[in-house]
Amino acid sequence: MKIIVASLTLILSSFIGQPALAWGEYAHQMTADIAQANISPNSKRIIKKLFASEKLLGTPKCALKNLRHASIWADCVRRDRLRWGYTAPWHYQGHDVCRPWDPDTACANGNCVSAQITRNAKLLADKSLPDHVRLEALAWLVHFTGDMHMPLHSGSRDDLGGNRIAAAYGIVKGRMNLHWLWDGPLAERAISEEPNIARKYSAVYRSQMAEGSVADWQLEAFTISRDIVYPTAQERETCLAPLAEGERAIIDNQEIVDLAPIARDQVRKAGLRIAILIDQALNISQK
C-alpha cells in the first residue's frame, strides 16, 4: 500500500502547484485523437493544408502542426500575456449553478467559451480568409470545445470553477483544488480505464453526438457541475451552505470510481463534437 500511495503521489505532483488549465494536456490531446479518428477524409485533406501555414501565426514556442497541437495551442499562447492575455476569458463561462440556466449569461461582448466556439467555426468555414487565419480559428475551436465539456468550465459557484475549493483525491496526499482534481488526476484515470477511447465511432453514435447546439452541449456540462460535481465535493445539495474557509472537499476512492465514467464520457463527447464542428465548417466552405 505504501508503494501505491508513493507512486500516486509522484504522479499527482505534476498537477499540484501548477496553474489550472482545463483538462491539462493529456485530456485535451485525447479529444484531438478522437476527433482525428472521426473527421472526414476531406476535412483531413483541408486541415493538412491549413497546418502548412503555421509559421505565419508567429508562435514558434507553441507548435501548431496537427490536431494534437491544436488542442493545447490556446493554453500555450496565453502564457504570453502581453500578446494573448485578452483571450483568457474565452476558455470558460461560469454559469452560476444556483441560478436557472441561461446560455447568454457570463458572456459579456462574446468573451466566453460558447461564443468563441461559434465565432471560430464561422471563421474556419470562410474560404475567403487566408489559410493562417483559418488555422488559428481551427486551434481555438478544437481547444474551446474541449474546455466547454469540462463541467467546471460551464458551471461554477462563485468560486472560479472550483479553483477556490481545496480538495483531496482519495488516498493521495498533497494540496490541490476541485478544479485541478477534475482537470488532471480524475480525467487521466477516466481516459486510462478505456485505452481504446480514441477510435472511429459508428455513424449512428456520431449522429447522436451531433444532436443539439453548442448551447445544448454546454447545458449538459453545466448540469453535471450542478448535479454531480458540487454535491459530491460538498457532501450536501449544491446550493446549501458552501464549504467553510479551510474546509476541504474529500473525494474518496469510491467517489473516484463513480466519477471516472462521467469524466470519460465528457472527453469522448468533446472529441466527437470537435470532429462534427470541423466537418460542418469545412463542408460549408466547399459549397
Side-chain angles (χ1 to χ4, degrees), residues 145-165:
T145 303
D147 273 353
M148 188 181 71
H149 282 77
M150 198 285 223
L152 288 166
H153 272 242
S154 291
S156 183
R157 209 190 157 184
D158 194 27
D159 54 20
L160 301 180
N163 273 296
R164 291 176 175 165
I165 298 179

Side-chain angles (χ1 to χ4, degrees), residues 241-254:
L243 294 175
E245 185 176 352
E247 189 178 3
R248 180 178 295 193
I250 306 296
I251 309 300
D252 65 32
N253 292 337
Q254 184 56 55

Side-chain angles (χ1 to χ4, degrees), residues 188-199:
E188 293 214 7
R189 172 170 179 150
I191 295 167
S192 300
E193 286 180 347
E194 188 176 328
N196 64 337
I197 189 173
R199 64 181 186 274

Side-chain angles (χ1 to χ4, degrees), residues 14-15 18-26 28-29 59-63 69 71-89 91 140 143 183:
S14 61
F15 300 106
Q18 298 294 323
L21 302 175
W23 275 354
E25 291 190 2
Y26 185 54
H28 268 300
Q29 289 174 339
T59 58
K61 294 182 179 180
C62 300
H69 290 163
S71 72
I72 58 175
W73 181 85
D75 277 343
C76 181
V77 297
R78 76 170 178 169
R79 296 181 183 122
D80 181 353
R81 295 186 180 181
L82 182 62
R83 184 177 175 191
W84 300 99
Y86 68 94
T87 68
H91 293 250
W140 295 125
H143 182 83
D183 268 353

Side-chain angles (χ1 to χ4, degrees), residues 89-287:
W90 295 2
H91 293 250
Y92 59 90
Q93 193 168 354
H95 296 93
D96 186 342
V97 293
C98 294
R99 294 182 179 273
W101 164 256
D102 179 357
D104 296 325
T105 61
C107 192
N109 301 314
N111 286 303
C112 71
V113 69
S114 65
Q116 291 302 319
I117 291 170
T118 301
R119 169 179 171 265
N120 284 287
K122 292 177 180 178
L123 292 173
L124 177 60
D126 189 345
K127 196 166 59 170
S128 71
L129 294 173
D131 282 358
H132 72 282
V133 175
R134 296 175 72 197
L135 174 60
E136 182 180 330
L138 173 66
W140 295 125
L141 177 67
V142 171
H143 182 83
F144 293 150
T145 303
D147 273 353
M148 188 181 71
H149 282 77
M150 198 285 223
L152 288 166
H153 272 242
S154 291
S156 183
R157 209 190 157 184
D158 194 27
D159 54 20
L160 301 180
N163 273 296
R164 291 176 175 165
I165 298 179
Y169 182 75
I171 62 175
V172 179
K173 297 179 180 179
R175 297 183 60 83
M176 67 176 69
N177 61 47
L178 187 62
H179 196 107
W180 286 346
L181 190 151
W182 276 81
D183 268 353
L186 183 60
E188 293 214 7
R189 172 170 179 150
I191 295 167
S192 300
E193 286 180 347
E194 188 176 328
N196 64 337
I197 189 173
R199 64 181 186 274
K200 181 77 171 180
Y201 287 83
S202 71
V204 171
Y205 188 72
R206 295 199 307 273
S207 68
Q208 291 174 347
M209 292 299 100
E211 293 176 358
S213 63
V214 170
D216 293 326
W217 300 344
Q218 189 170 46
L219 174 57
E220 292 176 354
F222 168 86
T223 302
I224 292 170
S225 184
R226 181 193 65 195
D227 296 349
I228 298 173
V229 177
Y230 280 99
T232 302
Q234 298 175 166
E235 297 186 347
R236 51 183 171 265
E237 292 182 19
T238 300
C239 297
L240 294 178
L243 294 175
E245 185 176 352
E247 189 178 3
R248 180 178 295 193
I250 306 296
I251 309 300
D252 65 32
N253 292 337
Q254 184 56 55
E255 288 170 336
I256 291 168
V257 171
D258 294 339
L259 294 173
I262 297 168
R264 179 167 58 250
D265 197 40
Q266 287 302 104
V267 171
R268 190 193 335 269
K269 286 179 178 179
L272 289 171
R273 287 166 177 170
I274 289 168
I276 289 161
L277 290 170
I278 291 174
D279 281 348
Q280 288 176 345
L282 297 181
N283 285 337
I284 290 171
S285 71
Q286 298 309 302
K287 292 182 180 179

